[in-house]
Amino acid sequence: MEEIDEMLETAQMFYDGKEDYKRLTGKIACNLFFEPSTRTQYSFQIAEEKLEMKVISFNKKSSSIKKNESFFDTVKTFDSFGIDLLIIRSLQNEYYKELAGKIKTKVINAGDGTSNHPTQSLLDILTIKQEFGFIKGLKILMVGDILHSRVAHSNLKIMKRLGAKVFISGPNEYLEKDAIFIPLEDGLLSCDVVIMLRVQFERHDKKFNMSFQEYNEKFGINSKNIGFMKKNSIIMHPGPVNRNVEISDNLVECEKSRILKQVKNGVFVRMAVIEYLLRNK
Ligand code: NCD
């Protein structure tokens, strides 16, 4: 908890443009993304550049992965280069267990399969704190494909730990059994924060059996149900947004939306996490 508070404080300092921080000039970061990414990958890169680090971005398609080299051997190779930091995103849940004790380089998890996305949770928490000033006691609703969302899994754990009341909503087949369900309309009426999630089509075995319009009417935010939301409540989304599926096109940047603020916060949170990890190195 103290670690989280400290990183959030540093992130807020970066956000406020306070320049009296130590740079990590010349330290080398390698960004190993084995899954597609825009926001996470490039905000890590921008964060590293702002800290004056040297950045190597790994390209899976032109690497020896194409010659069937394994994930483990690829990471071991980078570890042997003698660098300072590895940022890893993998489709394998808990990939870090395979690496524990076997590499020397510090690793930041940029998302592992359907399991965790810790820096996304931190930037979500920073965004909420900037809005309300606190997390404890807030009612937070996550809507959509909870089951396959690492963002939902990370947020469920960390937001509960910080004292929020977390609810979920969405299609039956995408719900988690051990989280508290609430029908969407009730959730919109009562919650302070509404986090919409993308349907993770790429992680499904079964075909998605609903038109996007039907999904939007039943499980999305649209012009009919946005009026149910509390006066000071906000809408968030980790991105990428599928417009007119989880949110109607004209509402993506509405007055309640903090979606682009989340993107902005992503850079500062990632700077803070990197700084925290490498500070004493
Ligand atoms: C999320 C992810 O990759 O888990 N996006 C992100 O990192 N901002 C969510 C998603 O892909 O739906």
Side-chain angles (χ1 to χ4, degrees):
M1 296 278 262
E2 269 167 33
E3 285 182 320
I4 294 176
D5 286 342
E6 197 181 326
M7 284 188 262
L8 290 178
E9 257 171 49
T10 312
Q12 186 60 46
M13 189 192 80
F14 287 135
Y15 183 98
D16 293 334
K18 302 212 176 110
E19 290 292 315
D20 55 342
Y21 61 89
K22 205 175 124 222
R23 309 293 203 279
L24 297 168
T25 312
K27 296 220 182 285
I28 302 177
C30 293
N31 301 335
L32 265 59
F33 280 69
F34 294 86
E35 259 194 8
S37 171
T38 300
R39 269 150 285 263
T40 308
Q41 178 172 206
Y42 293 102
S43 65
F44 262 116
Q45 187 163 333
I46 291 162
E48 291 152 356
E49 304 256 357
K50 281 186 180 245
L51 291 167
E52 298 178 358
M53 299 178 77
K54 291 194 171 134
V55 185
I56 311 288
S57 284
F58 165 77
N59 182 346
K60 191 173 122 180
K61 293 204 179 82
S62 60
S63 75
S64 290
I65 292 278
K66 281 276 167 209
K67 301 176 188 168
N68 292 329
E69 188 167 32
S70 67
F71 168 79
F72 181 79
D73 287 331
T74 305
V75 176
K76 278 294 269 186
T77 303
F78 276 88
D79 183 49
S80 307
F81 287 148
I83 53 170
D84 301 286
L85 181 65
L86 278 167
I87 312 288
I88 304 181
R89 168 172 287 193
S90 164
L91 37 78
Q92 196 183 310
N93 285 9
E94 300 184 329
Y95 66 79
Y96 34 80
K97 288 195 171 159
E98 189 189 347
L99 305 175
K102 305 214 173 83
I103 60 170
K104 294 179 296 299
T105 316
K106 299 210 166 165
V107 174
I108 298 178
N109 181 11
D112 59 305
T114 59
S115 283
N116 289 292
H117 196 344
T119 57
Q120 179 69 42
S121 287
L122 286 177
L123 77 88
D124 286 354
I125 290 164
L126 181 67
T127 309
I128 297 170
K129 273 194 128 177
Q130 287 169 342
E131 196 69 35
F132 297 94
F134 57 92
I135 301 288
K136 201 170 175 183
L138 283 179
K139 287 187 173 172
I140 300 175
L141 172 67
M142 287 193 283
V143 188
D145 186 357
I146 311 292
L147 193 63
H148 303 98
S149 167
R150 53 188 168 218
V151 177
H153 293 136
S154 269
N155 277 349
L156 271 167
K157 276 179 274 186
I158 192 169
M159 289 177 180
K160 274 200 229 165
R161 251 174 70 195
L162 295 173
K165 298 187 182 98
V166 189
F167 302 90
I168 58 163
S169 201
N172 255 331
E173 63 268 41
Y174 300 149
L175 298 177
E176 276 295 349
K177 285 175 194 63
D178 56 358
I180 309 169
F181 172 80
I182 188 167
L184 181 57
E185 222 177 274
D186 297 348
L188 295 180
L189 281 164
S190 60
C191 288
D192 305 292
V193 178
V194 178
I195 302 178
M196 305 305 291
L197 298 165
R198 185 179 65 87
V199 179
Q200 308 274 301
F201 299 104
E202 71 276 24
R203 303 188 204 280
H204 295 175
D205 307 326
K206 273 201 256 152
K207 215 177 153 280
F208 182 70
N209 261 333
M210 205 185 292
S211 73
F212 290 156
Q213 192 185 335
E214 187 187 351
Y215 184 93
N216 180 263
E217 282 163 12
K218 289 188 176 157
F219 307 111
I221 298 235
N222 52 53
S223 52
K224 290 205 186 95
N225 64 17
I226 191 162
F228 293 136
M229 288 184 70
K230 281 169 73 173
K231 188 160 170 285
N232 294 321
S233 60
I234 56 168
I235 300 169
M236 294 173 41
H237 191 309
V241 175
N242 286 143
R243 286 177 185 252
N244 293 322
V245 187
E246 57 270 16
I247 307 186
S248 295
D249 184 29
N250 62 327
L251 299 176
V252 173
E253 289 189 52
C254 73
E255 182 225 328
K256 284 192 171 297
S257 168
R258 296 295 176 274
I259 298 173
L260 291 174
K261 183 132 188 248
Q262 288 174 272
V263 176
K264 180 174 174 176
N265 281 335
V267 173
F268 301 120
V269 157
R270 291 177 174 122
M271 284 172 80
V273 175
I274 295 171
E275 202 269 337
Y276 183 87
L277 218 63
L278 296 191
R279 186 186 297 164
N280 300 318
K281 217 178 149 257

